């Protein structure tokens, strides 16, 4: 048996798109057949039926209504499917034989344009990664907004930063990327990114160069500023080829390719973004409780996206930062202007995504009305911006276009409240086109026209029995009985002879017939034609709209900065080049918003590149160490995005990276323990931090034994504080009080602690950072506050007295070549001896001698750790004897 023609066409198309779910338009449904039907019926819980296909067995089939296509496609995309949409490309009413069909687009996570599925304030990036021997090319595009960027990075570690920076929903790559050692499974499983390796043909030098030159209409790549790139060109060309292939249109809205250099922005790795809760909270993954939640008072979707991008990519260009700060200050000084600006911005829709829909030809009439409503706000925005001082606003004013010609066109052509459908009429405004007006009137007043014509012809001819009648064969005709044939005018045209009458037509009647018969179909067709002409004209002005949209986004973000700065009493930070971070009465921007007014306790932060490089902070849990360190990092970050900061005064140097190691949690998905996760993050910091970095370290070494943890924490402090190795500005919180002995013994190390007030029935956390070190951790008091049973607390008091007799600070004194303190008397109990001091046990002369001759200035952290292990083993062996 042979397949039916339709099913044969379906299978032929499926062969072309084997990796896609093929959705095949049949009447009012999009159908899926055979294996696609089985897969999707199970994935989306659709009813699986069958269809006659010419074979002995019916073809498995499931389908969805055409009007619900986007909903079901989004569900498929969210489950990791690629979807090919096969549409009817000719009218079934006029088709001869099988209706012509073509795949009109391929939808993937990175190419989804459905507005309901995209987060309004977040870009949806598709990333292309091309790994060569010595370099990696990275190109990223958001086709919903037209953004297209390219760069190159030297290695896999830097590539991780770029993936973190853009958070793509889809990655395409060459096969070399899969073999590079990058954890691709983590991208897919943990981050939910679709990763697809493409044929090397996408990334060849010739194909990439030609694709870019053809698309951007340039003779050579120097016209795009890409002549300094190597594999970046391959990545950009491969990405563009993929988009042209899947979108099946000219991508006219992607009219610029921006080369950027990662070193022009502060680098924030995934751990830092997570620990500082920049865009979502650590536990609930919610916007509320994040820095973005505090700062985002934007009025437009474009402004919200730019704000998120700015938080994820802070500036390190002092000039750009100062221009933003000047702009925010100008808005603060002109509060009424700022508030009027925000009011005018509020009705503006997402211009970037609207214009993309226009360029794709998918914008409906309501989209154009939304565009018009947005453009109507531009003259007022321009007037307000024109009154503001400063270089940034002058530059933004030059970028703004009132687009009044487009506003006027849409207003004249499109009804104020049109339908969403494009082919069912009701779109074009009365008076815009005479034929539309005539057809519209014809549909409602055709009978009156005929009656008036009939009366006029009776009076003109004197034939009082003349009637206008309708014939299926001849249309509208003038019918005259045979008794009045001699009075018929010469201009009457005979159409039909009846037994007792003759039927005629006239040019006027024929004109009325043309208007009345099929007036609705003609009206709908003409309205659609006129609508597409308006839409195409708007698309031709896309560059102007995109340029204005970018300016609106920045104005919106700056106005949001001004609003939150005034509301929360932020101050302008001073930007210095002296390597100093000096914050007076700094506050955590998020925590203070979550607390009652005026209940947050502010604190100072003082770091520099010399004597105050590294601050060791001690104090009990729940006292506020983590909040203090996070607030310091957030204040620096806010300064570098050009926002005012929560402090009484702030003098901030530019930092190239912010590193954080905060909290402890197992990474169960990758089989890593708490300690392994901690050490991996510490290793990343030690490898990549520079003297211009800011490092936040909280409780290093907690995930292992006390002795090992202290050894590692000490070695890390030593390594970071060393100017020859890193010398970065660092806040280091610890429960290892022994580390406070390092102040004065390692250059640049200072001690700070959280002030605590002791009472007879417990303690009060004063939340204030003061100079000096805590004399104890108050762990048992914290346990009491947490509700631990009294019996446990009593026993803990007994044990802490015994354990505190083992004074580990003597080892530090010895290893830093200082005079050791006198050992306390040792009283051994059943506690684990490995948790006590090395030197609190019976002395071993060889160990002491080795310690005395040890030159710690030449030891790496790993060497120090190995040495300590060796000394521990010697003492353990002796103790075992």
């Amino acid at each position: 048996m042979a397949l039916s023609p339709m099913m044969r066409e379906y299978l032929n198309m499926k062969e072309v798109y084997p990796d896609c779910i093929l959705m095949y338009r049949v009447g009012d449904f999009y159908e899926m057949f055979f294996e696609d039907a089985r897969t999707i019926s199970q994935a989306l819980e659709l009813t699986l039926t069958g269809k006659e296909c010419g074979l002995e067995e019916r073809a498995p089939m499931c389908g969805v209504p055409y009007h619900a296509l986007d909903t079901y496609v989004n569900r498929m995309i969210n489950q990791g499917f690629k979807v090919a949409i096969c549409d009817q490309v000719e009218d079934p009413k006029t088709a001869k034989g099988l209706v012509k069909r073509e795949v009109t687009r391929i939808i993937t996570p990175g190419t989804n344009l459905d507005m309901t599925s995209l987060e309004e304030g977040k870009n949806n990036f598709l990333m292309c990664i091309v790994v060569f021997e010595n370099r990696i090319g990275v190109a990223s595009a958001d086709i919903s907004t037209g953004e297209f960027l390219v760069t190159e990075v030297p290695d896999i570690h830097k590539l991780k930063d770029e993936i973190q920076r853009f958070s793509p929903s889809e990655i395409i790559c060459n096969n070399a990327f899969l073999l590079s050692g990058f954890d691709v499974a983590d991208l897919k499983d943990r981050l939910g990114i679709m990763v697809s390796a493409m044929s090397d043909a996408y990334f060849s030098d010739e194909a990439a160069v030609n694709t870019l030159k053809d698309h951007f209409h340039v003779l050579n790549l120097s016209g795009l500023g890409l002549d300094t790139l190597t594999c970046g060109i391959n990545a950009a060309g491969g990405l563009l080829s993929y988009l042209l292939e899947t979108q099946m249109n000219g991508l006219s809205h992607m009219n610029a390719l921006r080369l950027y250099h990662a070193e022009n922005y502060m680098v924030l790795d995934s751990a830092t973004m997570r620990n500082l809760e920049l865009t979502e909270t650590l536990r609930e993954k919610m916007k509320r409780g994040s820095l973005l939640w505090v700062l985002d008072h934007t009025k437009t979707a474009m402004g919200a996206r730019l704000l998120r991008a700015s938080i994820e990519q802070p500036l390190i260009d002092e000039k750009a930062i100062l221009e933003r700060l000047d702009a925010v200050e100008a808005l603060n000084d002109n509060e009424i202007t700022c508030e009027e600006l925000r009011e005018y911005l509020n009705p503006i829709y997402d211009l970037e995504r609207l214009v993309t829909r226009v360029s794709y030809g998918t914008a409906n009439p309501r989209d154009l009305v939304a565009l018009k409503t947005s453009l109507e706000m531009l003259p007022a925005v321009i007037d307000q911006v024109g009154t503001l001082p400063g270089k940034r606003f002058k530059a933004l004013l030059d970028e703004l276009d009132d687009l009044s010609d487009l506003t006027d066109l849409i207003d004249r052509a499109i009804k104020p409240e049109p339908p969403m459908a494009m082919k069912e009429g009701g779109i074009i405004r009365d008076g815009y086109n005479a034929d539309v007006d005539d057809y519209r009137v014809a549909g409602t007043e055709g009978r009156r026209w005929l009656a008036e014509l009939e009366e006029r012809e009776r009076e003109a001819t004197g034939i009082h029995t003349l009637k206008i009648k309708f014939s299926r064969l001849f249309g509208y005709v003038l019918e005259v009985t045979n008794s009045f044939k001699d009075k018929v005018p010469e201009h009457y045209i005979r159409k039909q002879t009846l037994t007792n009458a003759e039927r005629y037509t006239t040019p006027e009647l024929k004109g009325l017939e043309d208007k009345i018969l099929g007036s609705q179909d003609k009206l709908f067709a003409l309205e659609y034609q006129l609508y597409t002409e308006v839409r195409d004209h708007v698309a031709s002005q896309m560059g102007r709209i995109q340029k204005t949209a970018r300016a609106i986004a920045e104005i919106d973000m700056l106005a949001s900065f001004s609003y939150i700065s005034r509301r929360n009493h932020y101050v302008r930070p001073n930007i210095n080049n002296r390597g100093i971070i000096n914050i007076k009465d700094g506050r955590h921007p998020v925590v203070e918003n979550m607390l009652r007014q005026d209940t947050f306790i502010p604190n100072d932060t003082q770091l520099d590149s010399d004597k105050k490089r590294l601050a060791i902070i001690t104090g009990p849990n729940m006292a506020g160490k983590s909040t203090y360190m996070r607030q310091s990092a957030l204040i620096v970050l806010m300064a570098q995005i050009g926002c005012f900061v929560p402090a009484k005064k702030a003098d901030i140097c530019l930092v190239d990276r912010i590193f954080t190691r905060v909290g402890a949690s197992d990474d169960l998905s990758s089989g890593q323990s708490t300690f392994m996760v901690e050490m991996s993050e510490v290793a990343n910091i030690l490898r990549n931090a520079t003297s211009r970095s800011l490092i936040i370290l909280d409780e290093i070494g907690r995930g292992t034994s006390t002795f090992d943890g202290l050894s590692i924490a000490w070695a890390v402090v030593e390594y970071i504080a060393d100017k020859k190795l890193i010398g970065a500005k660092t806040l280091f919180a610890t429960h290892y009080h022994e580390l406070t002995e390092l102040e004065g013994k390692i250059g640049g190390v200072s001690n700070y602690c959280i002030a605590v007030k002791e009472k007879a029935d417990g303690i009060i956390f004063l939340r204030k950072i003061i100079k000096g070190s805590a004399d104890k951790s108050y762990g048992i008091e914290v346990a009491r506050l947490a509700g631990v049973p009294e019996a446990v607390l009593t026993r803990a008091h007994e044990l802490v007295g015994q354990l505190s007799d083992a004074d580990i600070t003597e080892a530090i004194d010895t290893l830093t070549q200082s005079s050791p303190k006198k050992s306390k008397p040792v009283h051994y109990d059943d506690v684990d001896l490995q948790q006590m001091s090395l030197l609190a046990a019976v002395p071993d002369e060889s160990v002491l001698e080795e310690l005395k001759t040890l030159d710690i200035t030449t030891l790496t952290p790993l060497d120090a750790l190995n040495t300590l292990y060796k000394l521990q083993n010697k003492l353990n062996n002796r103790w075992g004897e």
Side-chain angles (χ1 to χ4, degrees):
M1 295 179 69
L3 284 166
S4 64
M6 189 191 83
M7 201 57 68
R8 189 163 54 248
E9 181 186 64
Y10 170 85
L11 291 176
N12 288 339
M13 287 188 179
K14 182 63 182 175
E15 285 184 8
V16 179
Y17 304 99
D19 60 338
C20 297
I21 298 297
L22 181 61
M23 302 192 74
Y24 189 82
R25 180 74 182 260
V26 181
D28 289 339
F29 284 82
Y30 282 93
E31 307 284 11
M32 290 150 281
F33 301 102
F34 298 108
E35 195 57 39
D36 280 0
R38 293 190 184 95
T39 301
I40 296 304
S41 65
Q42 185 174 8
L44 303 188
E45 298 181 351
L46 300 177
T47 301
L48 184 66
T49 61
K51 182 178 180 66
E52 296 295 340
C53 62
L55 301 178
E56 291 184 4
E57 294 185 6
R58 289 159 60 88
M61 179 184 77
C62 68
V64 301
Y66 77 95
H67 56 77
L69 175 66
D70 289 341
T71 300
Y72 286 97
V73 167
N74 289 335
R75 290 176 62 188
M76 292 184 207
I77 296 301
N78 290 338
Q79 294 190 41
F81 296 104
K82 292 183 178 180
V83 182
I85 306 298
C86 181
D87 282 313
Q88 296 172 341
V89 292
E90 66 175 338
D91 189 344
K93 296 178 182 178
T94 60
K96 295 180 179 180
L98 194 64
V99 177
K100 186 178 180 182
R101 295 177 176 86
E102 292 177 0
V103 171
T104 55
R105 56 189 165 132
I106 297 173
I107 305 173
T108 65
T111 61
N112 194 357
L113 287 173
D114 180 46
M115 300 283 273
T116 61
S117 69
L118 298 177
E119 189 176 336
E120 193 176 67
K122 184 179 181 181
N123 285 100
N124 181 41
F125 281 111
L126 166 69
M127 179 176 282
C128 180
I129 299 171
V130 178
V131 175
F132 282 2
E133 186 175 352
N134 299 318
R135 297 285 288 176
I136 301 173
V138 183
S140 302
D142 180 350
I143 65 166
S144 72
T145 64
E147 294 171 74
F148 191 8
L149 307 99
V150 64
T151 192
E152 291 180 357
V153 294
D155 53 45
I156 292 296
H157 296 295
K158 298 294 184 183
L159 175 61
K160 288 181 180 178
D161 294 334
E162 294 311 298
I163 294 175
Q164 177 63 40
R165 189 194 305 274
F166 288 97
S167 298
S169 58
E170 180 181 359
I171 292 174
I172 61 172
C173 59
N174 63 348
N175 287 300
F177 172 65
L178 301 182
L179 303 174
S180 65
F182 198 99
D183 191 351
V184 176
D186 182 64
L187 294 177
K188 295 179 179 178
D189 301 335
R190 186 174 65 85
L191 300 179
I193 301 173
M194 177 181 282
V195 181
S196 306
M198 311 300 292
S199 165
D200 289 341
Y202 279 86
F203 311 111
S204 70
D205 292 345
E206 183 179 1
V209 170
N210 289 337
T211 299
L212 291 170
K213 288 197 302 185
D214 291 346
H215 181 75
F216 291 107
H217 309 294
V218 294
L219 295 176
N220 54 63
L221 296 187
S222 60
L224 297 174
L226 305 182
D227 45 331
T228 60
L229 294 184
T230 54
C231 53
I233 294 171
N234 303 81
L239 178 56
L240 188 55
S241 295
Y242 178 78
L243 289 175
L244 290 169
E245 183 179 286
T246 57
Q247 302 311 289
M248 301 176 187
N249 69 39
L251 300 175
S252 58
H253 69 299
M254 294 180 62
N255 49 31
L257 175 57
R258 182 165 69 87
L259 170 64
Y260 74 97
H261 299 285
E263 56 269 24
N264 290 344
Y265 301 93
M266 181 198 293
V267 177
L268 301 168
D269 59 23
S270 58
T272 297
M273 293 190 65
R274 182 176 65 250
N275 292 331
L276 294 182
E277 299 182 305
L278 296 183
T279 58
E280 63 181 18
T281 56
L282 202 56
R283 294 182 179 177
E284 294 85 6
K285 307 298 180 186
M286 301 289 289
K287 179 181 176 181
R288 176 180 171 80
S290 68
L291 179 64
L292 179 62
W293 169 69
V294 173
L295 298 183
D296 189 4
H297 291 272
T298 54
K299 296 295 186 178
T300 70
M302 298 94 70
R305 286 195 295 272
L306 179 61
L307 175 56
R308 176 187 281 266
S310 297
I311 290 174
E312 294 174 338
Q313 303 176 63
L315 303 172
I316 58 174
D317 180 355
E318 182 180 359
K319 180 182 176 183
I321 294 170
L322 292 176
E323 283 189 3
R324 281 190 186 177
L325 291 172
D326 288 342
V328 175
E329 186 170 26
L331 288 167
N332 286 354
D333 293 340
N334 296 271
E335 184 176 346
I336 294 177
T337 299
C338 181
E339 290 310 306
E340 288 186 0
L341 252 182
R342 285 165 52 77
E343 186 176 335
Y344 292 131
L345 292 172
N346 195 50
I348 297 180
Y349 288 81
D350 194 338
L351 294 178
E352 290 176 326
R353 286 179 172 167
L354 273 177
V355 79
T356 295
R357 290 171 61 83
V358 170
S359 74
Y360 269 64
T362 59
N364 61 52
R366 291 184 187 176
D367 289 333
L368 286 194
V369 171
L371 179 61
K372 182 200 74 171
T373 302
S374 303
L375 300 186
E376 286 174 340
M377 297 295 107
L378 294 179
V381 170
I382 291 171
D383 287 345
Q384 296 298 323
V385 172
T387 66
L388 293 168
K391 290 182 180 179
R392 195 67 217 131
F393 284 121
K394 184 179 184 304
L396 289 169
L397 192 62
D398 292 339
E399 297 287 315
L400 287 168
D401 184 336
D402 68 7
L403 299 166
S404 56
D405 54 322
L406 298 184
T407 307
D408 177 65
L409 173 63
I410 298 172
D411 186 56
R412 287 188 296 106
I414 309 298
K415 285 187 173 183
E417 297 182 5
M420 289 185 65
M422 291 179 268
K423 297 185 177 181
E424 297 178 9
I427 300 172
I428 302 302
R429 192 191 274 267
D430 292 340
Y432 179 72
N433 180 275
D435 289 336
V436 167
D437 294 343
D438 288 345
Y439 284 136
R440 199 167 276 157
V441 172
T444 57
E445 300 191 19
R447 289 187 179 182
R448 182 174 62 81
W449 288 349
L450 292 171
E452 291 175 351
L453 177 62
E454 184 181 81
E455 186 62 29
R456 287 199 307 271
E457 290 299 321
R458 282 179 180 177
E459 292 179 0
T461 61
I463 304 173
H464 64 274
T465 60
L466 183 148
K467 294 181 179 179
I468 293 179
K469 292 190 174 182
F470 179 75
S471 163
R472 286 184 176 275
L473 185 62
F474 297 104
Y476 288 104
V477 292
L478 296 164
E479 186 176 287
V480 180
T481 59
N482 289 337
S483 57
F484 291 97
K485 282 195 301 183
D486 57 334
K487 291 188 175 183
V488 172
E490 290 184 1
H491 68 275
Y492 275 31
I493 302 169
R494 181 183 284 109
K495 297 293 291 182
Q496 186 180 18
T497 300
L498 303 178
T499 303
N500 59 351
E502 294 286 341
R503 288 181 170 177
Y504 304 87
T505 188
T506 65
E508 185 178 4
L509 179 59
K510 184 62 178 174
L512 280 179
E513 178 185 293
D514 290 342
K515 287 184 177 180
I516 295 170
L517 292 181
S519 62
Q520 188 177 65
D521 290 342
K522 292 174 182 176
L523 173 64
F524 290 176
L526 181 57
E527 285 200 66
Y528 177 69
Q529 176 190 333
L530 293 171
Y531 169 72
T532 56
E533 288 174 1
V534 172
R535 189 181 64 195
D536 291 345
H537 179 74
V538 171
S540 71
Q541 304 301 307
M542 187 182 321
R544 295 168 61 199
I545 300 173
Q546 288 176 321
K547 187 177 181 181
T548 296
R550 287 191 291 269
I552 290 293
E554 186 169 349
I555 293 167
D556 191 16
M557 181 183 72
L558 293 171
S560 180
F561 285 167
S562 173
Y563 172 81
I564 195 66
S565 296
R566 285 181 279 112
R567 193 187 77 173
N568 289 0
H569 309 293
Y570 294 172
V571 300
R572 174 172 180 156
N574 177 60
I575 306 299
N576 71 74
N577 293 308
R578 305 187 310 278
I580 294 172
I581 296 175
N582 190 352
I583 301 168
K584 178 68 174 176
D585 286 345
R587 312 184 305 275
H588 194 295
V590 179
V591 175
E592 75 165 351
N593 261 267
M594 307 290 272
L595 298 176
R596 295 187 303 275
Q597 193 171 7
D598 298 327
T599 59
F600 189 90
I601 307 299
N603 276 296
D604 299 346
T605 301
Q606 291 183 322
L607 293 170
D608 59 32
S609 300
D610 189 22
K611 296 181 179 180
K612 297 177 181 177
R613 293 194 301 278
L614 192 149
I616 294 178
I617 305 167
T618 51
N621 285 322
M622 297 174 55
K625 297 192 301 297
S626 295
T627 298
Y628 167 71
M629 293 193 299
R630 284 187 173 104
Q631 85 182 29
S632 301
L634 289 175
I635 287 172
V636 170
L637 185 144
M638 289 172 65
Q640 290 192 221
I641 66 173
C643 184
F644 283 24
V645 299
K648 187 175 181 180
K649 185 178 180 181
D651 193 9
I652 307 293
C653 68
L654 299 181
V655 304
D656 61 356
R657 297 187 68 142
I658 295 177
F659 291 98
T660 63
R661 168 56 209 159
V662 179
S665 60
D666 289 351
D667 188 351
L668 300 178
S669 62
S670 61
Q672 292 186 328
S673 68
T674 297
F675 186 62
M676 187 61 181
V677 172
E678 178 183 314
M679 288 298 101
S680 296
E681 292 183 4
V682 170
N684 176 58
I685 293 170
L686 298 181
R687 278 198 310 266
N688 295 294
T690 72
S691 60
R692 295 183 59 210
S693 301
L694 174 62
I695 301 175
I696 306 297
L697 294 172
D698 191 6
E699 307 297 350
I700 293 298
R702 275 199 309 185
T704 186
S705 69
T706 301
F707 181 75
D708 287 355
L710 173 58
S711 303
I712 293 171
W714 170 29
V716 168
V717 169
E718 191 179 62
Y719 192 89
I720 292 174
D722 191 333
K723 283 186 175 183
K724 295 179 181 178
L725 299 173
I726 298 180
K729 287 167 278 294
T730 306
L731 297 175
F732 192 110
T734 184
H735 279 296
Y736 296 129
H737 289 222
E738 294 79 7
L739 293 181
T740 61
E741 301 288 330
L742 297 177
E743 183 183 47
K745 298 166 185 173
I746 296 179
V749 175
S750 303
N751 289 333
Y752 293 87
C753 65
I754 306 288
V756 174
K757 183 177 181 180
E758 296 190 54
K759 298 172 62 179
D761 56 347
I763 57 173
I764 297 176
F765 299 133
L766 300 181
R767 314 286 183 191
K768 200 70 178 175
I769 298 291
I770 58 176
K771 194 76 177 71
S773 58
D775 54 358
K776 54 181 179 179
S777 292
Y778 300 98
I780 297 175
E781 286 75 9
V782 173
R784 175 173 285 108
L785 292 175
V788 173
E790 192 62 37
V792 175
L793 298 175
T794 300
R795 177 57 177 156
H797 269 296
E798 295 173 1
L799 292 174
V800 77
Q802 297 167 4
L803 292 172
S804 63
D805 286 340
D807 189 352
I808 195 167
T809 60
E810 291 183 7
I812 296 176
D813 284 328
T814 302
L815 288 175
T816 55
Q817 299 177 348
S818 302
S819 301
K821 294 182 179 180
K822 186 176 180 180
S823 296
K824 296 179 182 179
V826 179
H827 303 283
Y828 296 108
D829 202 339
D830 294 333
V831 296
D832 181 3
L833 294 173
Q834 290 192 33
Q835 299 299 317
M836 298 169 63
S837 168
L838 259 180
L839 303 181
V842 179
D844 184 309
E845 292 298 332
S846 64
V847 171
L848 292 176
E849 188 61 33
E850 187 170 349
L851 286 173
K852 289 178 182 178
T853 59
L854 191 62
D855 182 3
I856 66 166
T857 62
T858 62
L859 294 179
T860 66
L862 184 59
D863 291 336
L865 183 59
N866 289 332
T867 302
L868 290 169
Y869 269 122
K870 183 173 68 173
L871 297 176
Q872 181 188 40
N873 288 333
K874 282 188 178 183
L875 290 176
N876 285 342
N877 291 336
R878 178 176 176 82
W879 189 260
E881 294 172 358

